[in-house]
Amino acid sequence: MFSLLSIVLTFLALILIPCVFISRCLSVPLSFTNIRRLIKIAASQCDEEEEKYKKSYCTTGKKEKQERIPKHVAIILDGNRRWAKKRGGRTEEGHEAGSRRVLEVAMDFFTLGTNTVSLFAFSTENWGRPEDEVKYLMSMFEKFLKSEIPYFQRHKVKISVIGNRANISESLLGSIREVEEATKGYEERHLIVAIDYSGRFDILQACKNISEKAKKGLIQVEDIDEKLIDKELMTSCSEFPNPDLLIRTSGEQRISNFFLWQSAYTELYFPNVLWPDFGEAEYLQTLTWYQQRDRRFGRRV
């Protein structure tokens, strides 16, 4: 009983003492009605301050997160064959499952604000795979590029195919030209598909182009710098040629001759999941990991 009385008296003191002080300062008579008004005013001011804080916090957080969205995401689509083998299926089934995942993941990044998504679909070294598998992949690329043109146009996605086209069939080349022409006017979303691509070949062809220009007197030796090389690389088709984030699925931790020049300051992420299993949870985990990285580019912050 005594403790309850002391609690009540303490509570009243905490309420009354500030009210007495405020009433004197404001020359307001101390009454129950005025005390209630003062409490309401104080509570209202606290709510306003809290709301201002929340708005400020949310706006700042949103802005900071937007600034930490990768503008260019490169993906090495690894693990299709192992995915099929684990399920007792054919290699083709793994590639089909992987192709279905491509647009889902690309659109996730585009929706978030990423401008360019690059896919390492077929490396120059992949020509060494079984002939049946290579034929199937080339047929799948052709079908994918041609059949998805309405989808690319509906979502305003620009398509660029990079790589050495010397060994590509005329049929596939026709589909490449068709999809590139049909989507060339779009800018905010850019999907780059690397077929018969090699980072070494990309650098080599850039050097040859520069040498030819120097030979013809179009440029001088003093003109050759990193910016000039950037312009001669195949990724010059993108507004953001250098990836901020490179993902290689399946747990393998190497970039396998993909974007050797462009990846100088790229964040490398190697999730231990096969490409066909790379879903929304893995996408969110990847993004969270990237946003926690401290990207200094050699500078002290």
Side-chain angles (χ1 to χ4, degrees):
M1 184 70 181
F2 177 76
S3 61
L4 179 61
L5 181 61
S6 64
I7 291 172
V8 172
L9 291 173
T10 303
F11 176 75
L12 289 174
L14 290 173
I15 296 295
L16 290 173
I17 291 172
C19 288
V20 169
F21 176 77
I22 294 171
S23 68
R24 286 186 177 181
C25 291
L26 299 177
S27 300
V28 176
L30 185 62
S31 66
F32 179 76
T33 303
N34 287 338
I35 289 174
R36 192 169 59 180
R37 286 176 180 171
L38 290 171
I39 292 172
K40 283 185 178 180
I41 292 171
S44 176
Q45 288 178 341
C46 287
D47 289 341
E48 287 178 6
E49 289 299 321
E50 184 178 359
E51 189 65 26
K52 285 180 183 178
Y53 173 77
K54 284 182 179 179
K55 287 181 179 178
S56 174
Y57 177 80
C58 291
T59 304
T60 303
K62 185 177 180 181
K63 183 179 179 181
E64 288 179 353
K65 287 182 179 179
Q66 191 65 33
E67 289 175 350
R68 294 184 67 80
I69 298 301
K71 289 298 181 184
H72 183 169
V73 176
I75 308 174
I76 300 176
L77 317 172
D78 197 14
N80 291 342
R81 294 193 299 176
R82 276 169 281 174
W83 184 90
K85 187 176 180 180
K86 281 177 63 177
R87 287 159 177 75
R90 297 176 294 109
T91 297
E92 291 81 2
E93 293 175 12
H95 290 312
E96 282 289 343
S99 68
R100 289 193 295 270
R101 184 66 63 194
V102 163
L103 288 181
E104 294 176 10
V105 175
M107 288 306 299
D108 282 340
F109 279 109
F110 288 145
T111 302
L112 195 69
T114 295
N115 174 273
T116 302
V117 175
S118 295
L119 308 173
F120 200 11
F122 189 88
S123 71
T124 299
E125 292 78 10
N126 287 153
W127 288 111
R129 290 189 175 185
E131 186 177 352
D132 289 346
E133 182 181 357
V134 171
K135 285 183 178 179
Y136 178 83
L137 286 170
M138 293 300 155
S139 174
M140 187 180 72
F141 295 150
E142 184 175 345
K143 178 183 175 182
F144 170 79
L145 292 172
K146 199 163 188 176
S147 65
E148 296 296 346
I149 289 177
Y151 180 91
F152 298 141
Q153 291 178 322
R154 186 165 64 253
H155 293 280
K156 294 180 170 42
V157 180
K158 178 181 179 179
I159 304 297
S160 296
V161 179
I162 63 173
N164 182 2
R165 299 191 179 188
N167 298 316
I168 302 296
S169 69
E170 194 57 43
S171 178
L172 177 53
L173 285 174
S175 296
I176 291 172
R177 296 188 194 102
E178 184 179 354
V179 70
E180 288 183 333
E181 179 65 25
T183 62
K184 66 180 182 181
Y186 307 130
E187 296 180 357
E188 292 185 3
R189 296 173 174 178
H190 193 178
L191 183 65
I192 298 176
V193 183
I195 299 177
D196 193 3
Y197 179 85
S198 156
R200 290 178 177 177
F201 174 79
D202 198 359
I203 296 171
L204 182 61
Q205 63 86 29
C207 291
K208 286 182 176 179
N209 290 342
I210 292 171
S211 297
E212 282 295 322
K213 289 179 179 180
K215 185 178 178 180
K216 294 176 181 178
L218 299 175
I219 60 172
Q220 302 300 316
V221 174
E222 294 77 15
D223 298 326
I224 302 173
D225 56 14
E226 291 186 12
K227 290 182 178 179
L228 181 60
I229 295 175
D230 283 336
K231 290 178 181 178
E232 296 296 336
L233 292 171
M234 296 178 183
T235 43
S236 62
C237 61
S238 171
E239 182 183 354
F240 303 95
N242 302 319
D244 302 296
L245 171 65
L246 186 149
I247 305 165
R248 179 175 185 153
T249 53
S250 85
E252 299 292 348
Q253 298 187 11
R254 55 182 179 271
I255 60 175
S256 297
N257 205 7
F258 185 44
F259 288 171
L260 298 182
W261 174 278
Q262 298 90 332
S263 298
Y265 286 101
T266 300
E267 300 295 330
L268 308 177
Y269 186 66
F270 303 110
N272 192 25
V273 58
L274 303 176
W275 171 245
D277 290 328
F278 191 91
E280 185 178 1
E282 289 74 23
Y283 156 74
L284 292 173
Q285 187 176 1
T286 301
L287 185 61
T288 300
W289 176 88
Y290 174 80
Q291 291 185 332
Q292 291 173 345
R293 299 295 296 165
D294 185 11
R295 305 193 74 204
R296 297 186 297 272
F297 299 96
R299 300 185 296 269
R300 180 179 293 179
V301 179

